[in-house]
Amino acid sequence: MPSFFKNDMSMKSHNTNCLIKLFFFTTMVLQTTLVQAQESAKEEDFFRIMKVSSPEGTILEVGGLCTLPNGDLAVTTRRGDVFIVENPESARPFFRKFASGLHEVLGVAYKDGSLYCVQRGELTKMTDTNRDGKADVFETIYAWPLTGNYHEYSFGPKLAPDGSFFVTLNLGFPDDWWHPRSMAPWRGWALHIQENGTMEPWAAGLRSPAGISMIDGELFYTENQGDWVGSGHIMQLKKGTFAGHPASLIWENIPNSPVKVTQQQIFAKIDQRREVDQNGRPQKPQNIVNEQFMTVADMQQYVPQLQLPAVWMPHGILGISNTEIVKIPQGVFGPFAGQLLVGDQGQSNLNRVFMEEIDGQLQGAVWMFRSGFQSGIIRLAWGKDGTLFVGESNRGWGSAGDSNQGLQKLIWNNRLPFEMRTIKVMPDGFEIEFTKPVDKKYTEDIASYTVESHTYKYHAVYGSPAVNILKHTIKGVKVSPDGMKARIIVDNMRKHYVHTITLEGVRDQENSYSLIHPTAYYTLHNIPQGKKLELGEVSTKNSAIAVGAVGAVSKNSSVKTSSSTKPATYAEIEPLLKKHTCATCHKTDTKLVGPSFQEIAQRKYSVEKIVDLIYNPQPANWSDYAVSMPPMAQVPKDDVQKLAGWIKSLERK
Amino acid sequence: MKWYTCKLDDDGDAGTGIYNHFLLAFLRKYNFNNILNMKKIACIFCGLLFAFTTVAQESVSLNDLSFFKQPPSSWKLATDVKADLSSANSLITSNGTGVLVNLPGKSAPGADLFSNLEHGDADLELDYLMAKGSNSGIYLQGNYEIQLMDNWGNARKGFDDNGGIYQRWDEKRGKGNEGFEGYAPRQVVSRAPGLWQHLKISFQAPRFDAAGKKTENAKLLRVELNGVLIHENVELSGPTRGALGAEKKMGPIRFQGDHGAVAFRNIKFTNFSKPRPELGSLSYAVYKGLFEKEPDFSKLRTEIQGTSAVLSSNFSNLPDTFLIRYVGTIKVSEAGDYNFNLLPGGGQGSLKINNQVVVPFVRRSRPMKVTLPSGELPFELLYSKFLDWAQPSIGLTISGPGIREYRISDANSVAPEPVDPILIEATQNKVLRSFIDIPGRRIVHAVSVGSPSGIHYTYDLDNGAIAQVWRGNFLDATPMWHERGDGSSRATGSVILLEKPVLNIASLSSSSATWPSDTTRTGFRPKGYTLDPEDRPVFKYNIYGTKVSDSTRVMANGEGLTRQISILNPGKDLYVRLASAKTIEDSGNGLYVLDDKLYYLKIEDAGGAKPVIRDANNLKELIIPVKNKIKYAILF
């Protein structure tokens, strides 16, 4: 537990007393000006990650997790095993091998005494009929066609309230993998399957739907950034939904398909970007920085079945490959009960989501919740006592946590963290609710807040940078008398944009801690009608304007360009690394998703070469790394110049 | 040109070699009637031909026994041979040529057969077929034996079992201790008697100094049995038991004939007797910079220079990008064709021999063939490394007729980190689903079933068919479980591919109606499988409105698999397709031999129905009408 620095006033000499007072005073002043006080609490002070012990040699590349009614945990792996883990919360759980030899099991569900799992090629019902602890009947409920392409992963099942099943299917990666295709029926679709094996196609337009989830009896999923997917996001899949990726639409004219969108409708408006290089070979299309583009919301004007993402998970900041969504049960994780947690495979972290429905449209806020898991998070399941079990693997892709497997658990220590609890959209801005009362002085200060908004392109290029970035003016703040809420008036709110709301200056009343996660990303679709705040009832105090340089060192202000050719220090570079999402994949001295900056420096490139490689990465130079770096065309030249200079300075002479 | 003396043997025949056979045929054609003259001429030509021997692999003709020296009477030729599975040492032959058979008997006692030619380093490849309970062997140079044995039904794996390198023997070691060394095959990959087995051997002869003292042991570089590597780089400290004599530079190929009936065919032989070219007088110069075109050396500054005994890039002070130029001589002892393969690390290279460009200075070159005269020829090699972070390595190998490929440059390899293979053993009955690749096709809903007896099969759920069977170890799952993987695994033992999977059950209007090519209008639907108490699967599917149960079991006697297909409510006109193969021979009593003696099929319980062999698509099909069940065995 962090300790707030308290001065021991019982010193003997007067001089020392004075010195102490001076020191203390200075420290206090510095506290008000230092933005991220060293002593503020961190995630790990409230939520502890622990491992689930398993017998040595058990390979747990987890692809499926579910809790059984008696509290046992069913764990399925990418090696084809199904384990039942008894007493999973204990210090020594018992592992029983229920089944093995299955083909990459990426999900499991329990129903009426049987386990249902999804393998690459089918939905299988596994039953232990002679009750010896091992499955002996493996019934094929429904098998789907495959071409044998490695990327045709299949996920699920998730149980609908009526006992039927949902399954989602990945697209295949041809040689020009940047244009994935649906090479067999139903790849890129969600299927609805009955116990008796009848199947109805449910939704199309999926690309990489590993995060198939049920929330309150409705089917949702997370999509992963890729072509046609500017950033990962949460989306609801209703029957007949078109989720956005056109490849799977080649099957839409099969008789019982509820999706009535054609590829032609999409390609008539947006260029497919099928490009070749000077040798006539297919090449990966790149983002064009200055161009006219469409967003998902733009496209929805023409294709009403195109579903809008409920909540965008900004790429490289909150994650790079989103996976399962779970709802926090009542009575679990304190103030966050009822909210959602979303796993990420690439950044090995969990995010927290608060969703609301405005005029029939889902939207809401997402925050970073907990990072530091040992591998890529794929599956989540709640234990009976409020433990969150986390199933992990990164084999083939790399992740922030560098183990290639993991079964861990997340436990809350019942202490209250200082966080934003919810953010709700208001007719004239946002209302933020906190978990603990705030210190009014800072919370009423407009300078404590920044709001920026951006969106993503809907195009055939892999991913999209944040575009149409706008900084918003905050006109006023109203803090509730109990200090639990702050409502800000934000001008120019834009429908269908992600609003990045940062509360850098807000402090809690009790300890003057800053928020553990001061940044929220609110996906705004609809603005509700209702009563706006009067200017008379809000604070318009803004210490940034009044006080000047002292006390206004905000992380969001741009770093002053130094005109000298001296390479920047790490402290100067760090905000750039975060802002441009370099830090997502690169650390200074350790391998992460990409090579460390020191290792890059050892290649002895010139600064110009490093600049070029940031804009035009050459994955072939780093053949040991499974994930290719995307071109960072959206990063401004001076920032790239600075980053390149700093990387060069790491070269060992 | 050297003159060889040909020895005239007992009949007055010249001890003829392969070439003489062709020559004699040529001479006969042109009606040289004087036999003795013919043989003398043949003798002379034999010598001439040997002098210019630079051959690649060649087939030993079995149109007569001329390849062999004084063949003992138990050895004969036939056009086809069949084993009687019920009696030991019994092979039935059909008159003709093409197959070499040993049939020891009272009037023709079994004895070993020797080739006329003698070999040093060599590759030998052949098919062999054992009679029931038989025992034979192949001796390289007459001295080093690979055991051939009928091990059907027992998974014994010793030096004296099929494919083993036989033990050495020395009485002086004392009673009970005379036998030593001998090497068991890595896997048991044998086939049943009466089936053709394929053996591929790469042999390196012992080396001797000028005084005749042995300086290097003989080696079995590679032995592959039925497509599986069973020995690799095994050093032979001396001749195995029952050797012809002392170790020598050259020796004949010897086929054991005194232990049982055996047949051979498709004998192919490659002699590597040509001496390797040697480099000499090497001097080098290293230039710093990035060279994608050959520079004008006179204008460049040398960073490092000197002389070297070996062709190497192992310098400690090389710049990141450079060009090394080696100049020297290459001593070619025998004129002829040579292949040079240059694979430089992180760049490109070129090779000039005798002032001719052999390998051009371009990226991604391929192996280049050149004809060289004998002598000490000028040699120039350029190696330009332009990938600054790559490891330097020259990577020059030489091969050619009479020369097994070897690396002549320094072995500083740029090979990537080796991968730990992920091998699945079936120490208990085991099921593993994966993609399985067969020629031309990837089976996407495949279930492989392994057993501790070393007999395994793969079932295709999309057709209700067995795609392949094998003996040996179970599966290599590295292709699917290393990194992202491709979802597939591979059988590690010796695979017998059955037909390309199609539905095994069909409704036919008559026994000559075409077998359906897909599942349309059959109502086919896979239903998965159940595991019995020993974890063996019984596959289930629906077809034609009824339920089918398909169960395959390893036979207790280890001879193969038995399969039983049961149909709950069979409609009329249902047939089961038991096999589709190039050839199907009816051996009587429900036993069939398929695909030119690749495997057997034995019908055990057909409920009285009569099987039909018919033609379809240039192949033979074996189909049988079925009611409630059919039971048959796949023996291999």
Side-chain angles (χ1 to χ4, degrees):
Chain A
M1 288 294 284
S3 58
F4 183 81
F5 176 79
K6 282 206 175 349
N7 186 45
D8 183 355
M9 296 298 269
S10 60
M11 295 313 267
K12 291 190 174 106
S13 86
H14 171 71
N15 282 341
T16 333
N17 242 346
C18 280
L19 270 171
I20 302 296
K21 278 191 186 132
L22 180 62
F23 186 28
F24 184 59
F25 175 68
T26 319
T27 321
M28 284 303 289
V29 168
L30 285 170
Q31 292 286 28
T32 61
T33 55
L34 277 174
V35 184
Q36 201 74 26
Q38 294 296 333
E39 299 87 347
S40 271
K42 297 197 167 62
E43 306 168 338
E44 52 264 36
D45 300 322
F46 303 94
F47 292 94
R48 183 176 169 199
I49 299 174
M50 294 178 69
K51 76 177 211 183
V52 174
S53 115
S54 58
E56 185 191 46
T58 315
I59 299 180
L60 292 172
E61 296 170 347
V62 179
L65 263 189
C66 81
T67 315
L68 307 188
N70 65 357
D72 289 352
L73 192 62
V75 180
T76 70
T77 73
R78 295 174 64 192
R79 296 291 187 102
D81 294 321
V82 181
F83 294 99
I84 306 259
V85 184
E86 299 175 11
N87 295 309
E89 296 93 347
S90 76
R92 212 215 243 198
F94 182 77
F95 275 69
R96 191 191 296 280
K97 194 177 267 196
F98 182 73
S100 65
L102 303 171
H103 199 187
E104 189 130 31
V105 190
L106 295 174
V108 67
Y110 170 90
K111 186 176 99 155
D112 295 337
S114 294
L115 283 180
Y116 294 76
C117 72
V118 168
Q119 307 186 50
R120 271 184 179 271
E122 61 172 71
L123 169 61
T124 314
K125 175 178 178 180
M126 302 179 287
T127 316
D128 173 13
T129 58
N130 63 357
R131 279 155 289 135
D132 65 348
K134 279 177 9 209
D136 42 82
V137 175
F138 293 80
E139 187 189 334
T140 304
I141 301 286
Y142 186 81
W144 41 80
L146 292 173
T147 64
N149 183 274
Y150 88 91
H151 202 260
E152 289 172 347
Y153 296 108
S154 307
F155 308 101
K158 287 297 178 192
L159 268 177
D162 66 355
S164 61
F165 305 95
F166 288 106
V167 160
T168 54
L169 309 178
N170 251 23
L171 293 175
F173 269 14
D175 286 337
D176 54 336
W177 57 268
W178 44 87
H179 292 305
R181 299 204 318 257
S182 178
M183 303 189 280
W186 315 124
R187 304 309 309 178
W189 286 69
L191 304 181
H192 183 219
I193 302 171
Q194 301 293 335
E195 177 82 37
N196 67 5
T198 53
M199 181 283 280
E200 63 167 339
W202 186 260
L206 282 58
R207 183 180 172 280
S208 200
I212 178 177
S213 312
M214 289 305 276
I215 302 173
D216 292 333
E218 298 289 337
L219 180 65
F220 281 77
Y221 88 115
T222 56
E223 188 54 275
N224 286 183
Q225 189 207 44
D227 57 324
W228 302 97
V229 184
S231 172
H233 54 261
I234 296 177
M235 182 184 284
Q236 183 175 8
L237 289 173
K238 301 185 208 158
K239 184 163 164 176
T241 290
F242 169 56
H245 196 293
S248 57
L249 292 177
I250 60 169
W251 309 108
E252 61 82 29
N253 55 1
I254 290 184
N256 56 345
S257 156
V259 176
K260 306 284 177 219
V261 180
T262 63
Q263 286 189 326
Q264 186 42 37
Q265 283 177 265
I266 309 298
F267 300 143
K269 295 252 172 286
I270 301 177
D271 180 358
Q272 280 187 69
R273 300 292 301 274
R274 291 193 178 272
E275 296 166 4
V276 292
D277 62 18
Q278 70 242 44
N279 297 318
R281 266 174 265 143
Q283 77 174 7
K284 185 166 181 270
Q286 307 298 358
N287 180 45
I288 297 168
V289 181
N290 293 315
E291 62 164 354
Q292 299 269 50
F293 59 85
M294 292 185 87
T295 63
V296 176
D298 292 336
M299 194 48 152
Q300 202 200 33
Q301 309 292 318
Y302 305 97
V303 181
Q305 304 95 316
L306 175 54
Q307 181 79 290
L308 297 175
V311 181
W312 289 99
M313 321 274 292
H315 184 79
I317 304 171
L318 292 184
I320 58 181
S321 293
N322 313 286
T323 52
E324 179 144 17
I325 314 165
V326 288
K327 183 167 167 166
I328 304 172
Q330 288 311 313
V332 174
F333 285 11
F336 306 123
Q339 299 188 355
L340 306 175
L341 290 175
V342 185
D344 192 78
Q345 195 267 331
Q347 290 187 191
S348 304
N349 65 280
L350 287 174
N351 296 312
R352 174 171 62 92
V353 171
F354 167 77
M355 256 187 346
E356 52 180 351
E357 192 175 315
I358 308 288
D359 296 333
Q361 172 63 50
L362 287 173
Q363 56 191 58
V366 58
W367 301 261
M368 172 70 77
F369 183 69
R370 186 66 167 95
S371 53
F373 289 89
Q374 74 182 47
S375 181
I377 297 180
I378 299 186
R379 295 292 171 232
L380 302 168
W382 294 101
K384 279 181 116 166
D385 66 349
T387 303
L388 179 64
F389 290 102
V390 181
E392 306 167 44
S393 170
N394 78 356
R395 170 167 62 81
W397 275 272
S399 63
D402 62 7
S403 174
N404 74 353
Q405 53 166 306
L407 180 62
Q408 295 183 293
K409 55 191 180 183
L410 187 68
I411 299 172
W412 182 44
N413 65 3
N414 292 305
R415 301 181 72 100
L416 199 54
F418 178 49
E419 295 255 42
M420 289 181 249
R421 185 170 180 229
T422 63
I423 297 185
K424 294 181 178 158
V425 65
M426 296 284 126
D428 54 358
F430 298 96
E431 181 181 77
I432 302 130
E433 188 194 345
F434 300 99
T435 55
K436 295 171 78 166
V438 293
D439 186 329
K440 281 217 171 73
K441 180 162 99 245
Y442 303 106
T443 317
E444 279 176 346
D445 182 353
I446 288 180
S448 297
Y449 304 82
T450 45
V451 177
E452 237 183 37
S453 67
H454 70 272
T455 187
Y456 300 101
K457 298 187 191 181
Y458 175 62
H459 62 176
V461 172
Y462 195 104
S464 165
V467 291
N468 289 1
I469 304 172
L470 180 71
K471 189 162 167 166
H472 296 253
T473 313
I474 299 154
K475 292 241 157 78
V477 188
K478 179 177 178 183
V479 180
S480 64
D482 61 1
M484 294 295 281
K485 289 191 186 151
R487 181 168 160 177
I488 49 177
I489 303 175
V490 177
D491 75 341
N492 220 350
M493 290 200 295
R494 301 189 285 176
K495 287 176 65 160
H496 311 306
Y497 275 68
V498 177
H499 291 70
T500 307
I501 303 164
T502 313
L503 275 53
E504 206 65 61
V506 167
R507 297 284 175 275
D508 78 339
Q509 223 174 71
E510 189 185 349
N511 297 311
S512 230
Y513 286 169
S514 42
L515 289 158
I516 295 180
H517 299 105
T519 309
Y521 303 88
Y522 188 97
T523 301
L524 176 67
H525 290 301
N526 287 338
I527 301 170
Q529 305 286 16
K531 190 165 180 305
K532 298 192 179 176
L533 288 174
E534 310 279 334
L535 268 179
E537 28 171 348
V538 304
S539 152
T540 51
K541 188 175 64 165
N542 190 336
S543 62
I545 302 167
V547 181
V550 179
V553 179
S554 158
K555 277 248 157 59
N556 288 318
S557 67
S558 56
V559 175
K560 294 273 178 286
T561 330
S562 92
S563 53
S564 75
T565 49
K566 235 181 6 151
T569 61
Y570 182 70
E572 290 167 348
I573 285 297
E574 198 192 359
L576 293 181
L577 292 174
K578 267 179 123 153
K579 176 172 182 195
H580 298 304
T581 75
C582 319
T584 308
C585 297
H586 300 280
K587 277 179 132 133
T588 310
D589 53 3
T590 0
K591 173 179 165 168
L592 206 61
V593 181
S596 69
F597 292 120
Q598 275 176 4
E599 221 197 308
I600 296 168
Q602 289 338 299
R603 295 276 171 107
K604 299 196 169 57
Y605 299 123
S606 64
V607 174
E608 296 76 58
K609 180 76 180 169
I610 299 178
V611 170
D612 178 46
L613 287 170
I614 293 176
Y615 284 126
N616 301 296
Q618 301 298 316
N621 289 354
W622 301 94
S623 54
D624 281 351
Y625 291 83
V627 183
S628 298
M629 172 172 167
M632 306 299 275
Q634 71 283 5
V635 183
K637 190 71 187 284
D638 333 318
D639 285 357
V640 172
Q641 207 60 52
K642 243 183 252 134
L643 287 161
W646 174 72
I647 294 173
K648 176 82 183 165
S649 72
L650 298 176
E651 194 182 301
R652 279 192 289 269
K653 293 287 173 270
Chain B
M1 190 177 79
K2 269 187 169 179
W3 292 86
Y4 291 79
T5 42
C6 280
K7 285 181 291 189
L8 292 174
D9 60 17
D10 297 348
D11 324 359
D13 277 342
T16 51
I18 321 161
Y19 314 106
N20 280 358
H21 156 75
F22 291 124
L23 187 59
L24 281 172
F26 167 77
L27 293 172
R28 274 189 204 108
K29 188 175 171 198
Y30 288 90
N31 283 317
F32 280 60
N33 288 319
N34 186 328
I35 304 289
L36 203 53
N37 278 340
M38 222 161 78
K39 303 259 174 35
K40 276 199 186 131
I41 294 165
C43 212
I44 293 164
F45 276 90
C46 147
L48 283 173
L49 285 167
F50 261 110
F52 288 106
T53 303
T54 56
V55 289
Q57 184 192 62
E58 40 157 306
S59 297
V60 172
S61 161
L62 293 174
N63 284 342
D64 59 33
L65 292 167
S66 54
F67 183 73
F68 305 100
K69 182 166 152 186
Q70 298 168 277
S73 53
S74 61
W75 292 91
K76 302 175 170 44
L77 291 174
T79 187
D80 195 9
V81 67
K82 234 164 64 164
D84 181 347
L85 289 179
S86 48
S87 57
N89 255 317
S90 165
L91 287 180
I92 302 145
T93 57
S94 314
N95 282 337
T97 60
V99 177
L100 176 68
V101 191
N102 181 46
L103 286 171
K106 278 219 197 66
S107 55
D112 290 357
L113 182 68
F114 296 82
S115 68
N116 279 309
L117 73 78
E118 299 199 333
H119 69 87
D121 291 358
D123 279 357
L124 177 64
E125 194 175 344
L126 49 81
D127 294 338
Y128 69 95
L129 183 151
M130 306 299 295
K132 180 174 151 91
S134 182
N135 175 337
S136 176
I138 307 272
Y139 294 76
L140 282 323
Q141 294 189 318
N143 278 340
Y144 312 97
E145 184 189 0
I146 310 270
Q147 172 80 310
L148 305 181
M149 180 86 159
D150 169 29
N151 278 128
W152 198 33
N154 84 60
R156 264 195 79 222
K157 189 173 82 168
F159 66 83
D160 53 349
D161 289 311
N162 198 28
I165 297 172
Y166 209 78
Q167 67 178 344
R168 298 192 57 195
W169 190 266
D170 187 354
E171 309 270 313
K172 292 198 219 70
R173 289 164 57 98
K175 198 157 161 67
N177 244 355
E178 306 97 326
F180 63 107
E181 286 183 19
Y183 301 92
R186 283 180 178 177
Q187 295 187 45
V188 174
V189 288
S190 307
R191 302 266 163 95
L195 297 180
W196 285 109
Q197 309 198 40
H198 191 71
L199 188 61
K200 245 171 107 158
I201 303 171
S202 280
F203 171 77
Q204 184 172 294
R207 305 278 188 252
F208 299 89
D209 64 18
K213 183 156 169 283
K214 185 166 78 161
T215 54
E216 241 180 83
N217 284 329
K219 273 201 193 120
L220 277 161
L221 299 173
R222 275 183 86 85
V223 179
E224 272 178 35
L225 177 56
N226 296 324
V228 175
L229 183 65
I230 54 169
H231 299 289
E232 189 176 16
N233 277 328
V234 177
E235 196 163 323
L236 303 164
S237 68
T240 61
R241 188 179 183 186
L244 182 58
E247 296 187 273
K248 296 217 299 259
K249 272 202 228 178
M250 308 282 270
I253 308 173
R254 171 180 164 197
F255 298 81
Q256 186 175 58
D258 59 351
H259 278 39
V262 62
F264 297 93
R265 69 173 188 185
N266 293 336
I267 305 174
K268 296 191 179 69
F269 181 71
T270 315
N271 218 335
F272 292 111
S273 53
K274 200 152 117 181
R276 288 178 172 181
E278 282 162 25
L279 295 173
S281 314
L282 289 172
S283 65
Y284 59 86
V286 178
Y287 306 92
K288 180 168 162 168
L290 207 149
F291 298 92
E292 285 177 281
K293 290 207 168 22
E294 193 171 333
D296 179 353
F297 293 106
S298 61
K299 299 211 167 76
L300 296 175
R301 190 183 84 102
T302 324
E303 290 293 310
I304 311 166
Q305 57 191 30
T307 59
S308 174
V310 294
L311 195 67
S312 166
S313 56
N314 255 340
F315 302 94
S316 54
N317 46 356
L318 279 175
D320 283 336
T321 61
F322 59 81
L323 183 136
I324 301 182
R325 178 170 184 240
Y326 269 97
V327 169
T329 58
I330 182 166
K331 183 164 133 207
V332 177
S333 306
E334 262 184 53
D337 288 344
Y338 292 84
N339 301 320
F340 290 87
N341 198 10
L342 184 57
L343 290 169
Q348 69 195 38
S350 73
L351 190 57
K352 255 196 220 138
I353 299 179
N354 214 15
N355 300 312
Q356 273 176 272
V357 172
V358 176
V359 176
F361 193 61
V362 293
R363 285 200 211 194
R364 291 202 201 114
S365 64
R366 44 195 178 77
M368 302 300 285
K369 185 167 96 153
V370 65
T371 312
L372 296 174
S374 65
E376 262 188 48
L377 312 171
F379 172 93
E380 183 196 58
L381 178 132
L382 299 181
Y383 166 37
S384 163
K385 182 167 99 75
F386 34 74
L387 277 180
D388 45 356
W389 45 270
Q391 285 281 34
S393 159
I394 293 179
L396 179 63
T397 61
I398 304 182
S399 67
I403 299 190
R404 201 178 261 136
E405 182 169 25
Y406 73 104
R407 177 189 276 268
I408 198 168
S409 63
D410 200 8
N412 184 9
S413 170
V414 291
E417 269 287 292
V419 166
D420 288 344
I422 302 170
L423 300 172
I424 312 295
E425 300 303 339
T427 47
Q428 293 174 305
N429 290 328
K430 212 179 240 291
V431 163
L432 185 64
R433 293 185 66 149
S434 71
F435 298 143
I436 289 280
D437 290 326
I438 58 174
R441 185 151 147 202
R442 171 162 275 199
I443 304 178
V444 294
H445 294 100
V447 183
S448 297
V449 184
S451 75
S453 64
I455 296 174
H456 326 286
Y457 68 97
T458 299
Y459 189 83
D460 177 355
L461 290 168
D462 286 335
N463 285 295
I466 298 180
Q468 60 185 9
V469 301
W470 68 101
R471 207 184 245 106
N473 293 343
F474 188 35
L475 288 168
D476 180 352
T478 319
M480 65 178 180
W481 288 343
H482 177 71
E483 290 301 331
R484 273 184 215 193
D486 74 348
S488 76
S489 67
R490 263 179 248 143
T492 39
S494 171
V495 171
I496 294 177
L497 288 163
L498 304 183
E499 53 162 338
K500 269 207 177 43
V502 287
L503 271 187
N504 276 186
I505 296 181
S507 172
L508 298 181
S509 53
S510 77
S511 67
S512 50
T514 319
W515 196 266
S517 53
D518 59 44
T519 64
T520 328
R521 278 189 296 278
T522 62
F524 177 83
R525 200 189 164 110
K527 295 304 262 175
Y529 55 90
T530 60
L531 292 179
D532 73 4
E534 274 109 75
D535 287 338
R536 296 174 300 185
V538 177
F539 295 99
K540 311 270 194 202
Y541 59 90
N542 293 349
I543 195 170
Y544 296 116
T546 184
K547 294 188 173 106
V548 176
S549 206
D550 187 346
S551 156
T552 299
R553 297 279 173 269
V554 172
M555 292 166 71
N557 60 13
E559 291 180 355
L561 300 159
T562 357
R563 182 181 186 194
Q564 175 164 314
I565 302 177
S566 309
I567 305 172
L568 189 60
N569 288 313
K572 48 192 199 98
D573 306 328
L574 284 186
Y575 287 76
V576 166
R577 187 163 110 168
L578 295 170
S580 164
K582 288 195 293 285
T583 61
I584 301 181
E585 298 163 39
D586 185 344
S587 273
N589 285 328
L591 181 70
Y592 298 85
V593 190
L594 290 100
D595 259 342
D596 188 25
K597 299 187 183 60
L598 181 60
Y599 68 101
Y600 296 105
L601 198 145
K602 182 159 206 304
I603 298 180
E604 291 184 2
D605 181 356
K610 291 240 167 315
V612 172
I613 301 179
R614 61 199 205 148
D615 289 319
N617 297 329
N618 294 323
L619 295 169
K620 301 277 181 202
E621 274 183 357
L622 179 65
I623 66 172
I624 188 167
V626 68
K627 291 220 169 335
N628 286 99
K629 91 169 180 226
I630 169 127
K631 188 168 177 200
Y632 71 99
I634 300 171
L635 307 168
F636 60 103

